[in-house]
Amino acid sequence: MSVTNLKLKDQSALRPAAPVIAFTRSVKRASGRPLLARLSAGAANVAPLIVTLSLILIAWQIVCSAPDSSLPSPTRVLEESWELIAHPFYVGQGVDQGLFWHIAASLQRVAIGYALAAVVGIALGALVGQSQLAMRGLDPIFQVLRTVPPLAWLPLSLAAFQDGTPSAIFVIFITAIWPIIINTAVGIRNIPQDYQNVAKVLRLNAFEYFGKIMLPAAAPYIFTGLRIGIGLSWLAIVAAEMLIGGVGIGFFIWDAWNSSLISDIIVALIYVGIVGFFLDRLIALVGRVVTRGTATA
Amino acid sequence: MTKSYLSLELIDKSFERGGVRTEVLKQVSLSVDKGEFISIIGHSGCGKSTLLNIVAGLTQATTGVVLLDGRVADEPGPDRAVVFQNHSLLPWLTVYENVRLGVDKVFGSTKSKAERHEWTMRNLELVQMAHAADKRPSEVSGGMKQRVGIARALAMEPKVLLLDEPFGALDALTRAHLQDQVMQIHAELGNTVLMITHDVDEAVLLSDRIVMMTNGPSARIGEVLAVPLARPRRRIELAADRTYLKCREAVLKFLYERHRFVEAAE
């Protein structure tokens, strides 16, 4: 996790100062160039990806083409799971739903748990970052609790909530909250003395300081935490749903395994990966818009 | 109690770190009249920034007191606006919003929204930055940032304007331009100004009096030099002016003959 953390921080430092302006600039540049040049530039970006994807698919096809292969080849996946791929919005009985609905159910759980984690995490992070006393009292506890694997919380939350869905939401919450707390606290501890002096000279009160100095100054760090948090949430929901059952992409995968539908599992994994990718990009995008000029002082 | 507008009375400041006590300032007293432009000059490490922070209320004096307009000033406040050395603009706000933040805070209850907008723009015009009101600090040059910092401070209508080496990080041409602008603003508004500097020419050009600090630790005011030059002052005419050169020489002699900078033993 610490590696991811570092990487994200690097990226945030390299972020352009004012994306709004960068955005209009890039639009201008794009519209100013002839269509053909734009297409060829786009192709140059995408071509390597297409090549690697093709190589992987070909290798996979060759390795798994034996009739007694334990895993299906790409063509067999297409053949066996065509129903699943072609009808993502299929509505059936109970857990017999199209993949879109499974993903939607998982996303809903993640949304609730993650939103709670963001609110509580930023508040606790602000407290720990701001107060030396709170840090001494709480930080050791955070450091211990954050190492508990997400799924280890599940039995406890099942016992507490007596129901699958709130337990899964709690697992998301408890998984996502630690990086949010820790990054927020670091961000607030790193607010430059200059900004604090400005706040003092202006005599900002506690609320004004929180909204006008603390949050914007710590925003790049907070979004680093939020981005790690969303990734962990998506990791945890699949595992948690395997255990709690019901509609959801995690249980879908488990159900497919129990029914020996290996091709369905592969399709579901591709869905999980792509959704996770877009969640990460979404938070990064929100972060860029919200932090605007903050990243570069 | 003295009758002056701003007075520093027997300021002592010492820091304690790991049981070792370092005296930074010793018995610093200074009286400043309303509308006066005072420079504080000294070698680096002589505690002149600490002195400014004490006046600003950002640092507490160990003993001694700062009186402003007859009242004790021991907390930071907009009546002693600071222009920081590294501009300290908030990067997530536009130039306009940076100034407006202070205007809203100081005049929130006494001026209407429209008046506050107008006042913000007037101060940006004063430093010739109205054209860049909607830019972010990262999009304007260092000199422009410092001008916005000055506008932000001026817009609070401070009783004393505190400048902490405001032009130290700028190139010589930009610095000269900003010095002229500060002189003009001072002539127009008649602010009381306390400026920290290590630039002899800047001190002589801008100040009514130059406060020369001895080297630390235990720095004190070594000498106060009045600069009897008529205003408005023009740097080109002054370059050959006898009074100007004399003042310059006096400061140089103080800094490089009597109080040579010695590397403090750690």
Side-chain angles (χ1 to χ4, degrees):
Chain A
M1 200 177 86
S2 62
V3 176
T4 327
N5 190 340
L6 277 173
K7 218 171 94 192
L8 285 174
K9 262 181 203 156
D10 279 354
Q11 284 173 354
S12 75
L14 291 170
R15 230 177 258 158
V20 181
I21 280 142
F23 182 65
T24 49
R25 215 183 280 149
S26 70
V27 166
K28 248 188 237 155
R29 200 188 300 144
S31 62
R33 279 189 313 184
L35 187 68
L36 199 68
R38 264 157 64 199
L39 281 179
S40 72
N45 280 332
V46 178
L49 175 65
I50 292 174
V51 170
T52 41
L53 265 182
S54 319
L55 286 178
I56 290 168
L57 283 174
I58 292 166
W60 178 9
Q61 183 72 35
I62 293 168
V63 170
C64 297
S65 60
D68 59 342
S69 163
S70 57
L71 291 176
S73 63
T75 48
R76 242 177 77 200
V77 169
L78 274 179
E79 230 169 84
E80 290 176 1
S81 301
W82 184 247
E83 281 296 298
L84 195 66
I85 299 164
H87 305 289
F89 301 107
Y90 169 76
V91 178
Q93 296 287 314
V95 296
D96 179 24
Q97 309 288 343
L99 268 179
F100 173 83
W101 302 112
H102 286 288
I103 293 278
S106 303
L107 277 177
Q108 197 185 358
R109 292 183 187 121
V110 167
I112 299 171
Y114 179 71
L116 286 173
V119 172
V120 178
I122 291 172
L124 278 176
L127 178 71
V128 173
Q130 187 70 348
S131 149
Q132 199 68 31
L133 192 69
M135 194 190 79
R136 288 199 188 118
L138 290 171
D139 193 56
I141 300 174
F142 294 161
Q143 296 299 340
V144 170
L145 288 184
R146 81 185 175 93
T147 63
V148 175
L151 275 195
W153 292 99
L154 190 62
L156 196 65
S157 55
L158 277 170
F161 294 109
Q162 306 279 325
D163 187 17
T165 298
S167 305
I169 291 172
F170 175 77
V171 169
I172 297 307
F173 169 83
I174 207 75
T175 306
I177 197 167
W178 310 116
I180 299 175
I181 291 177
I182 290 164
N183 280 281
T184 303
V186 169
I188 281 165
R189 237 173 282 151
N190 283 350
I191 294 177
Q193 185 64 41
D194 295 338
Y195 301 163
Q196 297 176 35
N197 284 345
V198 169
K200 280 185 199 157
V201 169
L202 292 176
R203 287 212 182 120
L204 298 182
N205 63 37
F207 288 110
E208 288 166 329
Y209 181 71
F210 183 75
K212 297 203 160 129
I213 308 276
M214 205 149 103
L215 278 189
Y221 289 90
I222 294 175
F223 273 96
T224 301
L226 288 174
R227 219 172 144 186
I228 298 169
I230 197 74
L232 292 179
S233 301
W234 195 238
L235 294 182
I237 190 68
V238 173
E241 282 175 347
M242 283 186 174
L243 297 174
I244 63 163
V247 178
I249 194 68
F251 183 66
F252 175 88
I253 292 170
W254 193 242
D255 199 34
W257 161 244
N258 285 330
S259 322
S260 300
L261 299 170
I262 308 300
S263 294
D264 284 9
I265 295 178
I266 290 169
V267 175
L269 289 192
I270 293 168
Y271 264 80
V272 169
I274 289 172
V275 170
F277 172 79
F278 278 110
L279 283 178
D280 181 62
R281 282 306 154 102
L282 178 72
I283 301 296
L285 180 75
V286 172
R288 263 211 302 280
V289 172
V290 171
T291 55
R292 288 179 297 181
T294 317
T296 51
Chain B
M1 211 162 79
T2 51
K3 268 187 171 175
S4 58
Y5 193 55
L6 169 71
S7 72
L8 283 59
E9 316 243 333
L10 294 170
I11 304 272
D12 277 17
K13 177 70 191 174
S14 47
F15 290 106
E16 216 173 281
R17 196 163 292 159
V20 183
R21 206 176 155 85
T22 324
E23 199 165 43
V24 182
L25 295 169
K26 196 175 167 77
Q27 307 239 310
V28 174
S29 292
L30 179 68
S31 296
V32 182
D33 288 330
K34 197 169 181 172
E36 229 182 341
F37 198 120
I38 304 279
S39 289
I40 299 170
I41 198 166
H43 292 291
S44 51
C46 76
K48 52 193 195 297
S49 277
T50 308
L51 184 63
L52 190 95
N53 281 340
I54 289 171
V55 178
L58 294 170
T59 305
Q60 297 295 315
T62 309
T63 59
V65 68
V66 176
L67 293 168
L68 175 60
D69 206 4
R71 285 166 62 180
V72 176
D74 54 359
E75 269 183 1
D79 56 345
R80 281 152 291 134
V82 187
V83 177
F84 297 95
Q85 184 174 8
N86 50 357
H87 68 78
S88 296
L89 299 178
L90 304 177
W92 51 88
L93 299 180
T94 62
V95 161
Y96 173 86
E97 288 165 339
N98 263 291
V99 180
R100 181 67 187 262
L101 182 65
V103 172
D104 281 347
K105 198 59 198 154
V106 176
F107 300 108
S109 53
T110 53
K111 282 188 170 159
S112 74
K113 222 174 167 182
E115 281 173 323
R116 277 179 274 150
H117 168 74
E118 207 175 296
W119 179 242
T120 305
M121 287 313 289
R122 178 129 49 99
N123 280 282
L124 281 174
E125 277 157 25
L126 201 62
V127 295
Q128 292 163 21
M129 281 302 291
H131 64 93
D134 293 325
K135 293 214 163 126
R136 283 181 201 286
S138 56
E139 298 171 284
V140 300
S141 70
M144 288 179 170
K145 280 181 205 151
Q146 207 49 278
R147 269 146 67 180
V148 178
I150 293 170
R152 174 173 65 184
L154 286 174
M156 297 181 221
E157 274 197 334
K159 289 177 176 167
V160 185
L161 189 59
L162 303 173
L163 308 177
D164 187 3
E165 293 187 31
F167 316 126
L170 304 176
D171 65 90
L173 291 176
T174 312
R175 191 185 309 170
H177 182 63
L178 275 185
Q179 286 163 352
D180 290 345
Q181 228 162 28
V182 164
M183 271 199 288
Q184 215 172 47
I185 290 167
H186 180 242
E188 223 169 287
L189 307 177
N191 318 73
T192 310
V193 185
L194 205 61
M195 178 177 78
I196 302 290
T197 184
H198 49 226
D199 181 330
V200 177
D201 285 299
E202 179 173 283
V204 178
L205 180 68
L206 295 177
S207 326
D208 296 312
R209 282 189 293 155
I210 301 171
V211 173
M212 294 176 260
M213 306 272 296
T214 64
N215 285 331
S218 302
R220 37 186 187 78
I221 294 178
E223 207 172 297
V224 179
L225 176 78
V227 183
L229 287 168
R231 290 178 189 273
R233 297 172 181 170
R234 276 179 248 281
R235 69 175 67 241
I236 300 169
E237 290 165 20
L238 287 179
D241 187 286
R242 289 191 60 180
T243 323
Y244 178 85
L245 292 174
K246 243 189 196 159
C247 291
R248 201 172 171 275
E249 196 189 352
V251 178
L252 285 172
K253 273 193 171 151
F254 177 89
L255 289 177
Y256 297 105
E257 270 177 17
R258 274 177 287 157
H259 295 278
R260 279 178 81 112
F261 180 59
V262 275
E263 232 18 275
E266 286 292 309

